[in-house]
Amino acid sequence: MAYEDRTYHGIQDGQEKWRGEEEEWRPARILVEKPEFGPTERTYGVTVLRELAEPEGGGFGWGYNGGGTSAAAAAILSDALDLGDPDKSGIGYLSDSEDDVLSQLREDFCDDVLSQLCDHWRLRRSVVLRWSVAWYLQRGITDLPAALTGLPPLQSQT
């Protein structure tokens, strides 16, 4: 399977006041977009490929470490690693058949990455995969998910 990059775009508006009036609450969302380089995505817009599905037990979150952050990490990692459904793969936050390695990967991704993000962010799949490779190697785990074995070499965008 050929490597395909994509961008994860987190949008967490919550409940905002505008001109003194409260707007209705909007849940946090994670969009999967076609990657663009430079200011293109901010200036001209992006192509949204799909939206990651929220788990049934609650919504997404980031900028802290809790249940919403774990749900977001499970969704992003399962998509980036091509694991399929987070709950069926064992990485899901509320999964009945939680895999010990994948759940620790998920929680460390929460601590290292998602807990540091603000309301709006973009994160490339290549960054998620390279972080994941480093995580596995630091623990001496050599049995890597297939998505981590065929990463292309780093290239600068000039």
Side-chain angles (χ1 to χ4, degrees):
M1 184 160 123
Y3 171 77
E4 174 196 340
D5 204 6
R6 46 195 171 258
T7 300
Y8 300 101
H9 180 188
I11 304 166
Q12 182 171 264
D13 292 326
Q15 193 172 31
E16 297 180 354
K17 288 188 175 188
W18 187 74
R19 294 186 183 179
E21 298 177 20
E22 274 195 30
E23 295 181 3
E24 74 177 65
W25 181 83
R26 292 174 294 214
R29 301 168 44 202
I30 302 174
L31 306 176
V32 181
E33 302 170 341
K34 179 180 176 188
E36 302 286 345
F37 291 98
T40 305
E41 59 192 0
R42 293 183 299 278
T43 305
Y44 302 110
V46 296
T47 302
V48 176
L49 303 172
R50 64 186 177 283
E51 184 170 342
L52 296 181
E54 286 185 344
E56 287 185 28
F60 294 137
W62 47 83
Y64 68 98
N65 199 353
T69 312
S70 290
I76 293 167
L77 288 167
S78 66
D79 188 81
L81 296 171
D82 295 325
L83 298 176
D85 181 272
D87 290 329
K88 292 179 182 172
S89 68
I91 199 169
Y93 173 56
L94 300 172
S95 177
D96 290 335
S97 58
E98 192 172 73
D99 179 278
D100 290 339
V101 171
L102 291 176
S103 66
Q104 189 59 55
L105 174 75
R106 179 195 68 227
E107 292 308 310
D108 286 347
F109 188 73
C110 289
D111 289 342
D112 288 353
V113 181
L114 295 184
S115 67
Q116 308 303 312
L117 299 176
C118 56
D119 288 347
H120 294 266
W121 51 267
R122 282 189 165 89
L123 188 62
R124 298 289 294 271
R125 179 184 184 220
S126 57
V127 171
V128 174
L129 295 178
R130 292 186 197 301
W131 180 91
S132 299
V133 166
W135 184 90
Y136 275 92
L137 295 178
Q138 285 178 339
R139 282 149 189 78
I141 302 171
T142 56
D143 187 20
L144 303 176
L148 301 179
T149 60
L151 290 176
L154 292 172
Q155 297 177 352
S156 64
Q157 299 296 319
T158 55

